Amino acid sequence: MKVDGQEYRTIWMEGTTVFMIEQNLLPFEFKIHEASTYFETCFAITTMIVRGAGAIGAAAGFAMAQAFMHAPAEGYWDFVMQAKEEIEATRPTAYNLFYAVDKVFRAGKNSAEDAVKEAQLIAEEDARDSRLIGKFGAELFGDEVRILTHCNAGWLAFVNYGTALSPIYMANKEGKKVFVYVDETRPRNQGAKLTAWELKNEKIDHIIIPDNAGAYFMKRKLVDFVIVGADRIARNGDVANKIGTLEKAIVAKEYGIPFYVAAPTSTFDLNCHNGMDIELESRSEDEVLYQTGIDANGNMSKIRVASPGSHAENPAFDVTPAKFITGFITEKGIIKPFVQSIKKICKTE
Ligand code: MRU
């Protein structure tokens, strides 16, 4: 994606340093954050400087490679094993994190150089898969299409292109007329802040809607497709994604609107039999009780928006049962949410 005319990826590694777009500052400030150790990369994942399934996966792979590069000769494996544990503890739901750590760890058993090569390959594959998801997804659309999306499964959530937004970018490039309803995605507002920023950059018509307005627009037949991303997909097709996804899926089914999940096969976790096996992250109550934005003077500020003295619960993800899903848009094509199709597509060649 281009920002001010310059081509960027969300995250990349040069030498031993990981570079990433600082997502907590967007859309108000565009800044590149640097992490020079695995520990600093872990910090970037937990604080959501880098976020979104594919970008978290790339970050985790790079962090594992950094650990191999920095491990001291004495206590080499203790250092590497400790790093692996810490990276895996950063965020529990996104499967791409575990997928990447495992692959880089196995490559690193040969040499630190192999670990770096594997981490770079994972990032490359993420970008390639996202582009293919865009190609397959765009084939679903006619010349004019209105899509509702939740959270940010765009360019910022992956190394490049994104998943749920990739078909939108592709269709726009092909000259189709695309309009996007962007759920604000409380409490962190990834929709209102990140998806809206991406779409504006790409000059795609869109409007931000309150999280509780999806049914209003769907009932009035203003939405042709709902497309979301995924953080982890169980072998039976149940999908863990940003909190609020389940509600959109139920409403879409009620009004006969196709509900697609766009995700690379690296997000499918065949060890999870169904959604009950997926660990769902809970985050700080502060994300619900306070909001962050810029004030009239252009300064970042955090204000309390909930009644003082009340507490909040903040589940970050929910699970949408496979029965609500029309299909998965993957880098290998579009499949139905059935065990057999999932197993077939995830088979490693
Ligand atoms: O908590 P986040 O922002 O890392 O959540 C990830 C997401 O953006 C969504 O759940 C998304 O729809 C799937 S990951 C691209």
Side-chain angles (χ1 to χ4, degrees):
M1 182 190 244
K2 279 202 165 80
V3 181
D4 291 336
Q6 200 184 322
E7 195 67 45
Y8 282 95
R9 283 188 164 192
T10 304
I11 181 161
W12 68 98
M13 182 166 75
E14 286 169 24
T16 57
T17 305
V18 181
F19 298 84
M20 62 201 95
I21 293 169
E22 213 310 5
Q23 300 198 35
N24 287 320
L25 298 180
L26 285 173
F28 310 114
E29 189 182 336
F30 183 80
K31 194 177 150 191
I32 302 300
H33 178 85
E34 293 182 22
S36 46
T37 61
Y38 87 81
F39 189 78
E40 288 178 8
T41 306
C42 284
F43 174 81
I45 301 172
T46 38
T47 55
M48 294 177 73
I49 289 169
V50 61
R51 50 142 299 282
I56 292 172
F62 289 145
M64 195 70 246
Q66 284 176 311
F68 277 107
M69 288 190 278
H70 290 144
E74 199 173 317
Y76 185 88
W77 283 108
D78 286 349
F79 183 94
V80 167
M81 294 310 292
Q82 170 72 20
K84 182 172 183 284
E85 213 172 283
E86 285 175 36
I87 300 163
E88 287 177 338
T90 50
R91 295 198 67 192
T93 307
Y95 182 62
N96 290 66
L97 184 152
F98 300 89
Y99 170 88
V101 169
D102 179 59
K103 287 194 109 175
V104 177
F105 178 73
R106 281 192 279 121
K109 284 181 176 168
N110 288 336
S111 66
E113 202 182 35
D114 281 4
V116 172
K117 269 193 207 146
E118 187 65 32
Q120 296 288 14
L121 183 68
I122 288 168
E124 272 319 309
E125 285 177 351
D126 181 89
R128 181 205 61 195
D129 292 350
S130 294
R131 195 175 52 75
L132 288 169
I133 285 169
K135 174 184 158 303
F136 289 120
E139 287 169 7
L140 291 168
F141 309 151
D143 290 341
E144 287 191 26
V145 64
R146 299 157 306 174
I147 296 149
L148 184 144
T149 191
H150 190 66
C151 196
N152 173 266
W155 173 74
L156 290 164
F158 289 82
V159 174
N160 214 344
Y161 305 103
T163 52
L165 297 192
S166 187
I168 290 169
Y169 295 143
M170 188 62 80
N172 183 54
K173 217 164 131 194
E174 288 167 355
K176 294 181 177 175
K177 196 167 176 304
V178 187
F179 184 84
V180 187
Y181 290 94
V182 180
D183 283 348
E184 57 179 350
T185 320
R186 285 271 292 149
R188 290 185 66 95
N189 297 317
Q190 290 99 325
K193 287 180 170 172
L194 306 178
T195 298
W197 181 78
E198 282 191 30
L199 293 171
K200 186 166 160 274
N201 261 350
E202 294 292 315
K203 300 187 174 47
I204 292 175
D205 273 351
H206 65 280
I207 194 136
I208 299 165
I209 60 170
D211 278 339
N212 39 12
Y216 171 90
F217 290 100
M218 287 194 244
K219 183 167 186 275
R220 296 170 113 210
K221 302 191 188 318
L222 294 169
V223 176
D224 303 310
F225 290 88
V226 178
I227 308 184
V228 298
D231 292 87
R232 192 183 294 236
I233 303 169
R235 67 192 290 153
N236 75 334
D238 290 354
V239 169
N241 194 51
K242 184 55 56 191
I243 192 77
T245 302
L246 172 60
E247 285 176 24
K248 309 302 160 199
I250 295 169
V251 175
K253 189 163 181 112
E254 172 66 21
Y255 293 112
I257 297 165
F259 182 96
Y260 281 93
V261 173
T265 47
S266 51
T267 304
F268 288 78
D269 180 1
L270 298 187
N271 291 321
C272 281
H273 286 88
N274 57 51
M276 299 282 283
D277 290 342
I278 303 176
E279 186 183 345
L280 300 175
E281 177 184 12
S282 276
R283 296 187 59 86
S284 159
E285 66 167 4
D286 277 10
E287 293 183 349
V288 179
L289 303 175
Y290 297 85
Q291 287 287 281
T292 310
I294 52 167
D295 62 21
N297 301 317
N299 298 317
M300 266 300 216
S301 61
K302 185 174 165 183
I303 55 162
R304 185 164 178 115
V305 291
S307 178
S310 292
H311 290 283
E313 269 203 35
N314 186 13
F317 300 97
D318 57 27
V319 171
T320 299
K323 69 176 181 181
F324 293 109
I325 296 163
T326 310
F328 292 113
I329 309 170
T330 78
E331 78 278 15
K332 297 182 185 172
I334 298 178
I335 59 161
K336 291 276 172 208
F338 304 141
V339 187
Q340 285 319 320
S341 4
I342 291 172
K343 274 168 63 180
K344 195 167 155 204
I345 210 158
C346 290
K347 218 169 73 200
T348 44
E349 286 92 351

